[in-house]
Amino acid sequence: MYLRELKLKNFRNYKEQALNPSRGFNLLLGNNAQGKTNLIEAIYLLSSGRSYRTPVDSELLRWGADTLYIKGAVVEEGGEKSIEIGIRGSNKRVKVNGVQLSKRGELFGKLTTVIFSPDELKLVKEGPNYRRKFMDQEIIQIKPAYYYVLTGYNKVLSQRNSLLKDSMKGRANIDTLEVWDKQLTEYGVRLIYDRQRFIKRLSGFAKQMHSKITNGQEDLEVTYQCCVGPKEEESLSDIRSRFGKRLQSFRGRDFKTGVTNFGPHREDLSVNVNGIDVRKYGSQGQQRTAALSMKLSEIELVKSETGEYPVLLLDDVMSELDLLRQEYILGNLARVQTFITCTHLTGVMKKRCDKGKVFNVNSGIITTEG
Ligand SMILES: Nc1ncnc2c1ncn2[C@@H]1O[C@H](COP(=O)(O)OP(=O)(O)OP(=O)(O)O)[C@@H](O)[C@H]1O
Ligand SMILES: [Mg+2]
């Protein structure tokens, strides 16, 4: 799919801007602090209903303005659809084809995006919560129903945790714990079921991608660290029986610590390059490339699961990569609509620009070259 048109009103430093991107390569060129990342953020907002930079919607309003509006026209095999987002104060409305959505989950999958920004390095470098977030976000784009299971799981988890906390003060009700355990198991098992399947496919694509980017020098292995053990693609009932037993066996520890020590909220992905853990031992460049391969692998995963390529958003990526890696990325994404930000044109990019559009971004005003 691709974004045919984008309109912004009072979004960040944009007063009123319309844009007709190319269906291939789109370069956002400009000095620092001109609005390049803001534009990437606007496209991401259309795809997920939330910014990746802030959880506070009112920060997105142009200073001094009280309403903002974004509209995107998205083209895919089945035709074109419009996505509109309006924010007034802390009130947000999202419409698809003119119909207002009642739940955020209804937006998922309407415009699929893969974003890579400098923050993505955290995916390999930082704690497991970043990798869990990665798994969840990717699965949600492909299978929006996963979002409801995840929110259900998190709700039950926090109720179970407050019960455990109460029990430390001597006010526990064991019958209620049984109820939460049953629900936690039902939601947890479904999360694991999807994670097992998607991560296996994603690691296959990530491995291929990484080998291409590194010219066959590096072998990337992304493995799902599942809380019920390292088995692949089990049935729901197999997962359920192991989940139930494990949850039981952790009970003593849960009562002692006042939190739930077992479950998908404690899972992780291991990321190895040529057999070593890149998180601990990888160089900065290796970590960046591993994160990039993991992210870019979503492109093929989304395509194979939904039949449509996602839109690729690359913020500040090129300046951080060596020429070989830049060449590979720009040379291999011909079928994917790509938005890429940079402060100056490099030779590699100039070559690609022939087949796309260059947008000059200057103090919240975008002009096209030529
Ligand atoms: N809510 C807002 N209203 C008006 N201006 C804003 C708002 N939020 C951010 N800005 C301004 O937008 C400007 C551009 O930000 P942006 O992050 O898009 O820059 P950039 O072009 O990506 O720069 P860099 O090359 O440094 O990454 C910033 O200088 C900031 O002051
Ligand atoms: Mg920026």
Side-chain angles (χ1 to χ4, degrees):
M1 60 175 69
Y2 69 95
L3 195 61
R4 186 186 57 75
E5 186 181 41
L6 179 68
K7 283 185 180 159
L8 306 175
K9 236 183 225 175
N10 291 327
F11 179 82
R12 295 278 193 189
N13 68 337
Y14 291 97
K15 190 161 186 246
E16 188 149 12
Q17 182 70 54
L19 197 74
N20 288 101
S22 123
R23 37 180 322 173
F25 187 67
N26 296 281
L27 192 75
L28 308 169
L29 186 64
N31 290 332
N32 294 132
Q34 301 306 310
K36 303 183 296 296
T37 303
N38 292 347
L39 193 83
I40 297 279
E41 184 183 31
I43 300 173
Y44 183 88
L45 190 72
L46 283 177
S47 88
S48 80
R50 265 194 209 156
S51 164
Y52 62 97
R53 289 160 110 192
T54 173
V56 186
D57 286 335
S58 57
E59 284 177 22
L60 305 173
L61 288 163
R62 198 165 77 93
W63 298 323
D66 55 8
T67 53
L68 79 73
Y69 175 77
I70 309 178
K71 182 175 184 179
V74 178
V75 180
E76 61 184 346
E77 192 107 333
E80 184 170 308
K81 66 186 152 223
S82 72
I83 303 176
E84 294 165 276
I85 295 188
I87 295 175
R88 177 186 286 273
S90 56
N91 188 352
K92 179 162 56 189
R93 283 170 184 221
V94 182
K95 287 184 185 172
V96 174
N97 286 337
V99 179
Q100 193 173 321
L101 306 185
S102 55
K103 289 191 206 132
R104 180 176 171 229
E106 291 169 347
L107 181 64
F108 298 133
K110 299 286 186 289
L111 167 64
T112 50
T113 55
V114 169
I115 183 164
F116 195 85
S117 69
D119 246 21
E120 248 63 41
L121 195 54
K122 291 184 182 156
L123 177 56
V124 173
K125 245 186 144 165
E126 307 277 329
N129 52 323
Y130 288 97
R131 287 176 291 283
R132 281 195 297 270
K133 204 169 144 204
F134 166 73
M135 289 196 254
D136 293 337
Q137 282 175 343
E138 296 342 311
I139 301 172
I140 286 168
Q141 290 214 85
I142 294 162
K143 187 177 176 182
Y146 180 92
Y147 171 73
Y148 298 108
V149 182
L150 184 66
T151 30
Y153 179 86
N154 287 333
K155 243 184 234 159
V156 177
L157 178 67
S158 83
Q159 279 159 330
R160 188 177 191 271
N161 283 344
S162 45
L163 185 100
L164 290 167
K165 287 217 172 63
D166 283 350
S167 86
M168 292 175 89
K169 297 174 206 146
R171 281 185 270 142
N173 181 341
I174 214 83
D175 292 341
T176 319
L177 186 72
E178 294 286 348
V179 175
W180 294 144
D181 281 7
K182 227 174 159 184
Q183 291 188 21
L184 196 78
T185 305
E186 275 321 299
Y187 285 123
V189 165
R190 285 161 67 193
L191 292 181
I192 293 170
Y193 181 85
D194 285 336
R195 285 181 181 182
Q196 281 183 345
R197 273 151 189 81
F198 284 108
I199 301 310
K200 189 171 172 230
R201 306 210 52 198
L202 187 117
S203 1
F205 286 123
K207 195 186 191 62
Q208 281 172 19
M209 187 64 75
H210 198 78
S211 168
K212 280 187 197 156
I213 300 180
T214 62
N215 216 359
Q217 299 286 303
E218 289 184 2
D219 177 46
L220 176 70
E221 203 73 61
V222 178
T223 322
Y224 175 38
Q225 305 291 312
C226 179
C227 65
V228 294
K231 290 191 185 155
E232 275 179 2
E233 306 211 27
E234 295 170 278
S235 68
L236 281 169
S237 63
D238 283 345
I239 302 172
R240 190 176 294 115
S241 81
R242 294 201 292 139
F243 194 103
K245 277 184 211 142
R246 285 247 178 147
L247 189 61
Q248 266 292 337
S249 73
F250 270 87
R251 223 180 232 193
R253 202 156 125 200
D254 290 354
F255 275 125
K256 229 179 258 164
T257 54
V259 288
T260 304
N261 292 280
F262 164 81
H265 63 290
R266 291 289 171 99
E267 292 184 334
D268 199 355
L269 292 172
S270 67
V271 186
N272 287 347
V273 166
N274 294 344
I276 64 151
D277 181 345
V278 260
R279 185 177 170 212
K280 289 191 191 130
Y281 305 109
S283 74
Q284 179 96 347
Q286 271 178 323
Q287 290 174 338
R288 185 173 296 113
T289 314
L292 189 65
S293 302
M294 285 167 75
K295 275 294 194 161
L296 294 182
S297 67
E298 293 168 44
I299 296 173
E300 292 303 329
L301 185 66
V302 170
K303 163 75 177 153
S304 75
E305 296 285 330
T306 67
E308 294 277 346
Y309 276 113
V311 173
L312 180 62
L313 307 171
L314 299 174
D315 192 13
D316 277 337
V317 175
M318 286 298 135
S319 55
E320 309 256 1
L321 294 171
D322 59 35
L323 278 178
L324 190 79
R325 289 169 200 206
Q326 287 187 26
E327 287 262 17
Y328 172 77
I329 291 168
L330 297 184
N332 280 272
L333 298 171
R335 282 169 298 169
V336 181
Q337 186 182 41
T338 305
F339 290 84
I340 204 164
T341 69
C342 63
T343 49
H344 57 278
L345 269 178
T346 63
V348 184
M349 281 193 228
K350 267 192 199 126
K351 260 197 267 169
R352 263 312 295 271
C353 292
D354 301 346
K355 297 189 194 104
K357 284 191 180 173
V358 179
F359 296 100
N360 290 303
V361 185
N362 198 334
S363 301
I365 295 171
I366 300 181
T367 49
T368 320
E369 273 187 5

